[in-house]
Every structure is written in structure tokens, then in C-alpha cells.
Amino acid sequence: MERSAELFAEAKRYIPGGVNSPVRSFAKVGGNPVFFKRGEGAWLIDEDGNRYVDYVSSWGPIIVGHAHPKILEVLKEAITNGLSFGAPTEVETLLVKKIQ
């Protein structure tokens, strides 16, 4: 976890506690957080190349796993329209209808 330690030291210079909010509790349990580089299906790969089973799945939204080919295909198509508008869109209504 050498690379994670380096990244954590750098992050602490700019981010409160050196981590985003879900993992700020690392300060209370000791040790350093693992910095991840990528995900593949049910796996996470850290900055040093170690593989972990991702039991968190981004708190639920990655139910089909990381970098799922169909999801990537749909995302690539969607981002050609823009990333965020700060205004209503038809797509958000379609999403809510599916959820309900």
C-alpha cells in the first residue's frame, strides 16, 4: 500500500481528513485508507495493483459491478448530450418512473 500512503499524504494537504466523507472515519480506527485506481466487475484494484472484492458497491448503485460493458455503452451515449444542466430533463422523469 505504498502508493495509497503517498496519495493519502498528498490528499491531506487539500481535503479535510484526506478522504471523502464516507471514509473520514479512518482517523478514528487508525491506519490509512486504501486508494483505488479502478474497478472490474465485483473487484476493486488499488494503486499498488492489489485486488479486493467490492462488498460496498458504491453503497448500492453499482449492483451490476464496475465497468459493466452495457452500462458503459449507455453512459457514453448519454454524455454526448451533456453532463449536468441544473434544470429538469426528460431522462430524470423516465428514471423516476422506472424506480416507482
Side-chain angles (χ1 to χ4, degrees):
M1 285 201 235
E2 288 183 31
R3 182 77 176 131
S4 286
E6 293 170 7
L7 291 170
F8 186 44
E10 179 71 5
K12 286 192 286 187
R13 295 179 59 204
Y14 304 100
I15 302 168
V19 294
N20 57 48
S21 59
V23 291
R24 219 163 260 141
S25 61
F26 258 92
K28 304 293 183 210
V29 297
N32 292 330
V34 178
F35 277 64
F36 291 102
K37 188 170 190 167
R38 67 183 191 280
E40 299 171 354
W43 297 92
L44 290 172
I45 295 89
D46 72 12
E47 286 286 344
D48 293 303
N50 300 304
R51 293 170 56 90
Y52 304 80
V53 174
D54 183 4
Y55 290 109
V56 177
S57 296
S58 196
W59 310 115
I62 307 178
I63 196 164
V64 297
H66 295 275
H68 188 281
K70 181 63 176 170
I71 301 297
L72 292 177
E73 177 185 321
V74 171
L75 284 172
K76 287 175 185 174
E77 181 182 329
I79 64 174
T80 63
N81 293 322
L83 296 176
S84 178
F85 305 111
T89 65
E90 178 184 23
V91 172
E92 69 188 357
T93 303
L94 294 172
L95 176 61
V96 171
K97 284 169 64 174
K98 280 189 172 208
I99 292 170
Q100 290 181 4

